[in-house]
Amino acid sequence: MPVDDAPEDDDVRQTYNFAPGSHGLIYRADVPDWGAGGRGHGNQDAADGPSQEGQDEQQGGIEPAKETKYKLQAMKWGLVPFWTKRNPDYGSVMRTINARDDSLAQSGGMWNTMKQKKRCIVVAQGFYEWLKKNGGKEKIPHFTKRKDGQLMCFAGLWDCVQYEGSEDKHYTYTIITTDSNKQLSFLHDRMPVILENGSDAIRTWLDPKRSEWSKELQSLLKPYNGELECYPVSKEVGKVGNNSPAFIVPVASTENKNNIANFFSNAKKEAVGKEEKQEMKAEEAEISQKGVMVEHDQQEQRRTVEQSSTENDAPIPLPMSSPPSPKAGSKRAHETDAETDDVSPTKAVKIEGASAPKALTALPEKRTGRKTRSATSNGTKGSPANSGNGSQRITSFFNK
């Protein structure tokens, strides 16, 4: 796929533990902030929020026909709709990290404008899901990736919002989920929608000329039928802020240094001199006591708590402080579309923008005891960044 615009290589970084609220790379048609097609939002229901008129400086209706260009762009994970007046609270953002495929099949609703005019691809190496064992008392993280080593292309939606009193524009996205395929049904009953890179399906999904939702677009949202690899990985990935290439290496693999026997059996073969052997013994003692080194982002102050939901069983990052509830009158459309009982973020490994802001500091909204069907609260996994094996420049991947 062609790339006509992309962030500088120095502006993005690789992470093996990508959490909601972080900035990841998305691939989309280079269209105005109001999306593909004309500026208006067509037969948008009143419940979908106000028109985007006045949000952009550009004027006019239907764009003149021209060659479609595509771009890579850093966006924040957790979609904030364009009609939002103020920076939303933490709980609202956590409920929009995913969008259910069946909710897109319904007319109207929160996603109505985005599914017609603002479709994108979320680029990742793979995603994590937690397998519940012993009646849910134990959760084992599993990493899923393509068997051929190619990057994954998740179907997603994006939006651009400009809060009242601010000149800054904020770009955010959500990952679409569907029923799990047979291979992953043992793990969870939901998974991200994965499209094949360079396929007709991905061209159709991103085509800006298709500015109305159709059965053809809906038919693309289905379980992945390609070959995947899925295996248990280190539990350290369950703590927000932790980062290590070992997170995407199978626990039982001979390449996994967390397996001390594997690590030292390989290293001792290479240790020739007396000095090296002494160093190895000291390192062996240290690792036996402390485990393999895992880097932790010092700017990441959120704590991690366990949670389970109908969409995802990933640990959830919570803010480090407990600020007061959002002020009365702060506008948050479609509150009734959100699932108030389950907050289920997706854990992902992906390429993250270096300029990502600090973690959100608002607490999730209080639970009301009301449990409605959610179009937004999907616990699906995000995806990892390129590993050393088969790593490639992100622009090279799309130039195929």
Side-chain angles (χ1 to χ4, degrees):
M1 301 294 289
V3 176
D4 298 290
D5 187 22
E8 296 293 331
D9 285 352
D10 292 339
D11 293 337
V12 293
R13 66 184 176 90
Q14 187 176 31
T15 177
Y16 297 92
N17 193 3
F18 189 81
S22 301
H23 279 62
L25 277 181
I26 67 99
Y27 180 70
R28 68 177 178 94
D30 193 355
V31 296
D33 291 341
W34 66 76
R39 181 164 187 149
H41 290 292
N43 56 0
Q44 166 179 313
D45 293 346
D48 296 329
S51 169
Q52 200 171 357
E53 290 286 346
Q55 191 176 115
D56 301 290
E57 294 179 0
Q58 296 176 325
Q59 301 293 329
I62 304 298
E63 292 181 277
K66 59 182 179 181
E67 181 185 358
T68 301
K69 293 186 177 182
Y70 297 89
K71 64 190 294 184
L72 283 167
Q73 184 177 359
M75 291 191 185
K76 190 174 183 178
W77 188 15
L79 191 143
V80 180
F82 66 84
W83 60 76
T84 307
K85 301 299 182 183
R86 297 179 181 86
N87 194 5
D89 61 274
Y90 187 79
S92 296
V93 173
M94 296 301 284
R95 287 197 296 271
T96 57
I97 60 173
N98 297 114
R100 294 181 62 97
D101 60 336
D102 48 6
S103 68
L104 299 186
Q106 303 168 9
S107 60
M110 175 178 178
W111 309 114
N112 193 46
T113 297
M114 284 73 91
K115 72 182 183 183
Q116 296 184 81
K117 299 172 176 289
K118 303 176 183 181
R119 298 182 299 274
C120 67
I121 293 297
V122 181
V123 185
Q125 189 176 341
F127 62 91
Y128 297 110
E129 179 56 276
W130 274 251
L131 176 65
K132 291 194 291 187
K133 301 185 74 174
N134 300 326
K137 294 179 181 179
E138 183 181 9
K139 291 184 179 180
I140 310 297
H142 284 63
F143 180 62
T144 301
K145 65 177 183 177
R146 288 176 58 123
K147 197 167 186 178
D148 60 11
Q150 292 290 314
L151 293 176
M152 282 185 169
C153 297
F154 300 141
L157 304 173
W158 66 275
D159 210 344
C160 175
V161 63
Q162 190 171 346
Y163 303 130
E164 283 184 344
S166 173
E167 296 182 358
D168 297 330
K169 291 182 178 181
H170 302 271
Y171 293 88
T172 59
Y173 71 91
T174 187
I175 296 172
I176 300 172
T177 64
T178 186
D179 294 332
S180 185
N181 62 16
K182 290 182 180 180
Q183 184 179 356
L184 300 183
S185 59
F186 79 98
L187 195 57
H188 204 279
D189 57 5
R190 303 290 296 177
M191 69 179 295
V193 173
I194 304 170
L195 301 178
E196 286 287 350
N197 176 41
S199 66
D200 289 338
I202 212 170
R203 292 186 181 89
T204 299
W205 181 251
L206 295 176
D207 186 0
K209 297 182 182 66
R210 301 171 188 268
S211 56
E212 292 186 5
W213 194 245
S214 64
K215 290 183 179 179
E216 183 180 14
L217 289 171
Q218 184 71 42
S219 69
L220 301 177
L221 308 179
K222 57 188 179 183
Y224 185 65
N225 60 6
E227 291 189 279
L228 298 172
E229 280 188 64
C230 180
Y231 46 80
V233 292
S234 170
K235 290 185 178 181
E236 290 295 322
V237 74
K239 297 176 183 177
V240 64
N242 283 357
N243 193 29
S244 171
F247 289 171
I248 61 173
V249 178
V251 169
S253 170
T254 55
E255 298 176 12
N256 196 330
K257 295 182 179 181
N258 280 305
N259 185 325
I260 297 174
N262 291 337
F263 176 69
F264 288 105
S265 63
N266 293 332
K268 283 175 181 176
K269 292 176 184 176
E270 301 173 4
V272 181
K274 191 176 182 181
E275 237 177 77
E276 287 178 309
K277 289 180 180 179
Q278 289 176 342
E279 289 177 2
M280 284 298 304
K281 284 183 180 179
E283 191 175 354
E284 183 172 2
E286 183 178 357
I287 290 180
S288 296
Q289 184 178 12
K290 300 180 181 179
V292 174
M293 183 68 171
V294 174
E295 294 182 3
H296 186 84
D297 185 353
Q298 296 303 314
Q299 292 185 338
E300 180 57 83
Q301 298 297 320
R302 291 178 293 177
R303 59 193 177 93
T304 309
V305 297
E306 295 293 331
Q307 67 87 40
S308 293
S309 76
T310 57
E311 289 296 320
N312 177 266
D313 295 321
I316 178 175
L318 289 181
M320 58 184 235
S321 59
S322 302
S325 301
K327 293 181 180 178
S330 63
K331 182 164 184 179
R332 179 64 186 170
H334 300 291
E335 229 170 40
T336 55
D337 262 357
E339 190 169 348
T340 54
D341 285 328
D342 293 321
V343 178
S344 51
T346 301
K347 286 290 283 209
V349 181
K350 50 192 337 184
I351 299 166
E352 181 178 355
S355 59
K358 292 182 180 179
L360 299 176
T361 55
L363 284 174
E365 294 178 344
K366 293 181 180 179
R367 297 181 179 181
T368 63
R370 177 187 65 209
K371 187 166 185 178
T372 58
R373 182 170 184 84
S374 170
T376 62
S377 176
N378 264 335
T380 334
K381 263 77 217 143
S383 3
N386 300 5
S387 63
N389 241 352
S391 65
Q392 53 191 310
R393 284 171 63 102
I394 192 70
T395 49
S396 300
F397 170 73
F398 283 97
N399 283 330
K400 293 181 179 179

